[in-house]
Amino acid sequence: MAIMEMIVHNPTEGVYAATDDFVHAIEVRSPSRFLFIAGTMGLDSDGVPGTKLEEQLELIWANLRVILAEAGMSVDNIVRLTSYLRDPSYAEANAKARVAALGGRRVPTTAIVAQTLASDWLVEIEVVAAG
């Protein structure tokens, strides 16, 4: 069986430049499985949302780590990420939390400003992981 490789594709000509917190694409070669994680909220184990944005971001990443671990994966397996922000002013804190959670590893990411299903859900993040 081939070993999975992740190859960053970040062209510097003919397309706008990627910033320090994302890449345009990651090619995944020889994965044996994919994990698609639903939008994950900043809720504690009792389903109670954090009261502040930073608390919800911490909870989201803790929840994602638990879900990934259930599949024998870690944040190092994340190959795609989408953030749904209730307010555009959350973008910077969300990006900082993502960069910290991924240990500086950059992945293709999209942030969308959207109304969440509950007004106290400030951020929701979904990911695709490969192993």
Side-chain angles (χ1 to χ4, degrees):
M1 181 193 297
I3 296 174
M4 185 182 82
E5 292 180 80
M6 290 188 216
I7 301 161
V8 170
H9 292 282
N10 224 8
T12 58
E13 294 181 19
V15 66
Y16 57 90
T19 60
D20 290 341
D21 68 333
F22 85 99
V23 295
H24 285 297
I26 289 181
E27 177 181 352
V28 182
R29 292 185 181 174
S30 301
S32 60
R33 59 201 178 105
F34 286 98
L35 179 67
F36 297 87
I37 300 179
T40 303
M41 284 81 66
L43 309 177
D44 67 17
S45 58
D46 293 323
V48 177
T51 57
K52 296 183 178 184
L53 177 62
E54 290 75 16
E55 184 182 359
Q56 287 197 19
L57 288 165
E58 287 176 21
L59 286 166
I60 286 169
W61 284 102
N63 292 337
L64 287 170
R65 285 184 194 93
V66 169
I67 295 165
L68 287 160
E70 173 74 17
M73 295 184 177
S74 74
V75 295
D76 292 337
N77 294 94
I78 293 174
V79 296
R80 177 81 177 98
L81 184 146
T82 303
S83 299
Y84 300 91
L85 310 174
R86 189 160 183 81
D87 189 283
S89 67
Y90 300 165
E92 185 177 346
N94 180 61
K96 284 183 181 178
R98 181 184 71 249
V99 168
L102 297 178
R105 189 172 66 87
R106 301 181 307 162
V107 300
T109 183
T110 300
I112 300 168
V113 177
Q115 186 175 11
T116 53
L117 293 177
S119 62
D120 52 358
W121 296 354
L122 305 178
V123 181
E124 189 171 341
I125 296 176
E126 66 181 13
V127 302
V128 177

